[in-house]
Amino acid sequence: MSKFIFITGGVVSSLGKGIAAASIGKLLEARGLKTTIIKCDPYLNVDPGTMNPFQHGEVYVTDDGAETDLDLGHYERFTNAHITKDCNITTGKVYYTVITKERRGDYLGKTVQIIPHITDEIKRCIKKVSHEKDVDVTIVEIGGTVGDIESLPFLEAIRQLRWELGESYAVNVHVTLLPYIKSAGEQKTKPTQHSVGRLREIGIAPDILLCRTEKHISKEQRDKLALFCNVDREAVIEAGDVKHIYEVPLSFKKESLDDLILKKLNLKREDRDMKEWKGLVIKRLKTPQREVKISVVGKYMALQDAYKSIYEALIHGGIANDARVHIAKIDSEDLEKGNLEKYLQGAQGILIPGGFGDRGIEGKIRAVQYARENKIPFFGICLGMQVASIEFARNVCGLSGANSTEFDKDTPNPVVSLLEEQKHVKNLGASMRLGAYPCKLIKQSKSFQAYRKENISERHRHRYEFNNKYKKSFEAKGMIFAGINSSQDLVEIIELKDHPWFVACQFHPEFKSKPDQVHPLFRDFVKASLDVKRIS
């Protein structure tokens, strides 16, 4: 039977519970334990698939086609856990299931209530994941902040689970904040005391405090927190600010967090060093030998989390090439207004990520043209491949008014269009081409050089596809169709012949990149960018 670690957050949001959960998973894997991680999100959406990126940030996609919270991306980047659709439990998903059962008559005329029906469904979902994945430890992150009304059913569910499982089968970890008041020169423990008090009111007593802090926690403060929060002194863990998120597991290791968790779960595992991870962080990430500037041209640039996996994959590409990647974030709408040189001069590589809607599209098309004409390494992802196709059609093939039917339904040259199967879709949620699909590479391509194999599988999230009617005219002008989904005859990767590195793919390679297992396309894109001299 799996043991459980429940992670909650207090005082304020955005304390990094997801990073903490992923880092704990990393530590336990280093001790030889098999783990999985679950994110419980309190919003009423069934999934984040229809949310605006400015509202929710990036939507992370799993192999089995689930649109999930971005924290699941952290889980996969830090650990070897196989994350699936069941690993993201939302209030919307739970209520949808319970109401469906009620309509079928499954409850035999009983009054359906939060307790026990909603909490039982939450517990069922959590236990289902731990059972099916056959793991030693299941880490469960509860979204939101203690005190939020919408989080209460999840907190009640884990309270019940802890009671059902018994002492040595579950640990509660509370991530909290110790704010530093500069004018007073003091670090305050009172917000944490209040947060723990709120938890205890609903029946949850934390076993471990992960204290987010700018300053070192003194012995006196540790003692105070231990006394007033009723935890062991050794269970007050300093979670100080770090420069790179991949330092967090090492920071927790230094605090002996893994030893503490194993002790509380009554697990015995040999202590192992994290030599490889330490070398990756200290040598490759913190002290690289080279530097490269990559311009990311997107339409959700105001929010850091909107392209989280893209930024992380670029950092991974830098790690593989012993280089620090400087990311220049450029709003595509700005490229529609002003001089491209002002924004793109000095870029050693240009990347255009995914997105939806026609806002800023012409700016992205101009960025593709700039990269193509100036021989700057270019990487297009999802929408990035589609705008690259539009730019090539207009400016190389001479197809007047070429566009995607997403942006112009009446375009005379729809080089990107809606699949026939998508034309009858009415419900937007979970109805795109989602999850892992196969792709076959041609050997005379940069993509094949990167992957070093002919058959690959990558994750998708889109509705529109390259229009095969234009393949011959594109090939005649030097476009290479480097990757094809053979079963559906869909274009997956395009490349240009006479260019240092021009690759665009319909899938999302960023979702499969890890710091210690860098995605081959990001590795080679960063390498190509390092090899090309800056434009003066």
Side-chain angles (χ1 to χ4, degrees), residues 284-303:
R284 292 295 188 95
L285 188 58
K286 297 185 77 173
T287 56
Q289 297 299 306
R290 299 186 288 176
E291 295 186 347
V292 64
K293 180 183 176 183
I294 304 292
S295 292
V296 177
V297 181
K299 53 194 294 183
Y300 312 116
M301 308 311 292
L303 185 67

Side-chain angles (χ1 to χ4, degrees), residues 49-104:
T50 57
M51 291 189 200
N52 189 307
F54 288 123
Q55 282 273 316
H56 183 267
E58 171 187 87
V59 174
Y60 186 80
V61 178
T62 58
D63 268 344
D64 61 351
E67 295 173 291
T68 70
D69 184 80
L70 62 84
D71 276 330
L72 276 73
H74 292 312
Y75 304 163
E76 286 205 324
R77 283 189 282 273
F78 277 72
T79 73
N80 294 314
H82 179 53
I83 302 299
T84 62
K85 62 182 179 182
D86 293 329
C87 295
N88 197 188
I89 305 168
T90 68
T91 298
K93 192 182 290 186
V94 170
Y95 272 72
Y96 187 86
T97 301
V98 170
I99 290 169
T100 301
K101 287 180 179 179
E102 185 274 332
R103 292 289 83 189
R104 280 201 311 254

Side-chain angles (χ1 to χ4, degrees), residues 474-497:
F474 272 48
E475 286 175 326
K477 292 292 185 177
M479 180 72 79
I480 301 170
F481 293 95
I484 300 292
N485 179 321
S486 304
S487 62
Q488 295 176 280
D489 194 26
L490 299 174
V491 174
E492 297 281 16
I493 307 175
I494 60 173
E495 298 182 9
L496 288 183
K497 285 181 181 177

Side-chain angles (χ1 to χ4, degrees), residues 272-437:
R272 304 175 187 175
D273 61 35
M274 299 181 72
K275 188 176 179 181
E276 289 185 11
W277 191 264
K278 194 179 293 184
L280 179 146
V281 169
I282 295 173
K283 292 181 181 178
R284 292 295 188 95
L285 188 58
K286 297 185 77 173
T287 56
Q289 297 299 306
R290 299 186 288 176
E291 295 186 347
V292 64
K293 180 183 176 183
I294 304 292
S295 292
V296 177
V297 181
K299 53 194 294 183
Y300 312 116
M301 308 311 292
L303 185 67
Q304 167 74 13
D305 285 345
Y307 296 117
K308 188 64 179 175
S309 292
I310 292 284
Y311 299 147
E312 293 305 315
L314 283 171
I315 290 169
H316 305 163
I319 291 171
N321 288 282
D322 198 13
R324 178 174 288 112
V325 177
H326 297 283
I327 301 172
K329 300 172 185 177
I330 299 169
D331 193 314
S332 58
E333 287 188 281
D334 289 336
L335 300 186
E336 296 176 347
K337 302 170 188 174
N339 189 339
L340 266 69
E341 292 286 339
K342 175 184 173 183
Y343 296 100
L344 297 176
Q345 189 176 38
Q348 292 169 266
I350 295 173
L351 185 149
I352 296 183
F356 299 90
D358 61 357
R359 181 176 60 83
I361 290 301
E362 293 301 321
K364 291 191 174 195
I365 292 170
R366 294 187 72 192
V368 176
Q369 183 177 5
Y370 187 88
R372 180 177 57 79
E373 292 178 348
N374 289 288
K375 305 294 184 185
I376 300 171
F378 171 80
F379 194 6
I381 294 174
C382 196
L383 179 61
M385 188 192 104
Q386 295 175 5
V387 295
S389 302
I390 294 167
E391 190 280 328
F392 191 82
R394 290 180 186 178
N395 300 319
V396 179
C397 298
L399 298 173
S400 177
N403 214 328
S404 165
T405 54
E406 180 182 4
F407 315 131
D408 181 3
K409 292 181 181 179
D410 301 317
T411 173
N413 287 296
V415 293
V416 177
S417 60
L418 201 60
L419 280 174
E420 193 63 37
E421 65 198 49
Q422 286 284 334
K423 291 179 181 178
H424 307 293
V425 169
K426 292 182 180 179
N427 294 329
L428 296 181
S431 57
M432 288 185 271
R433 185 150 78 102
L434 292 166
Y437 284 85

